[in-house]
Amino acid sequence: MRITDYDQALFHTHRSDWDSLLILMVRTKDHILSKKIEHFLHAYRFEHDYQVVQSQLYALLRYLDHAAEKTNAYLNELPG
């Protein structure tokens, strides 16, 4: 996975740039990231209970943190 996908997702989420987040959802090769974005955007658009939206946002942010950390650890282990 490209770490830039995680950085872009965080950036677009922070800026509330839902169109760009949707494009990233379609283009990323990380299926879990794609699903997390999909669930968040669906909740943001259609859910009337703010706690559900907040829960999906936190799930997306937790995954971004986890994936970026694991990717960085992997890249640091590579030789050279």
Side-chain angles (χ1 to χ4, degrees):
M1 283 314 104
R2 297 177 332 158
I3 192 149
T4 57
D5 286 350
Y6 308 126
D7 289 340
Q8 285 180 5
L10 184 59
F11 177 75
H12 297 314
T13 302
H14 176 69
R15 294 193 63 218
S16 301
D17 187 2
W18 308 139
D19 292 337
S20 296
L21 193 61
L22 181 66
I23 291 169
L24 178 64
M25 178 187 83
V26 173
R27 290 184 178 171
T28 186
K29 302 288 187 215
D30 185 337
H31 299 292
I32 297 173
L33 175 60
S34 181
K35 280 295 179 186
K36 295 287 185 184
I37 293 172
E38 178 185 0
H39 291 157
F40 166 68
L41 290 176
H42 186 272
Y44 183 82
R45 176 65 177 99
F46 297 109
E47 189 59 52
H48 298 292
D49 184 1
Y50 180 73
Q51 288 182 341
V52 174
V53 177
Q54 186 178 24
S55 173
Q56 292 299 328
L57 173 61
Y58 288 161
L60 172 59
L61 294 175
R62 279 192 309 270
Y63 180 73
L64 289 173
D65 184 49
H66 168 76
E69 181 181 308
K70 292 298 181 185
T71 304
N72 279 334
Y74 172 76
L75 291 175
N76 290 335
E77 292 177 359
L78 291 177

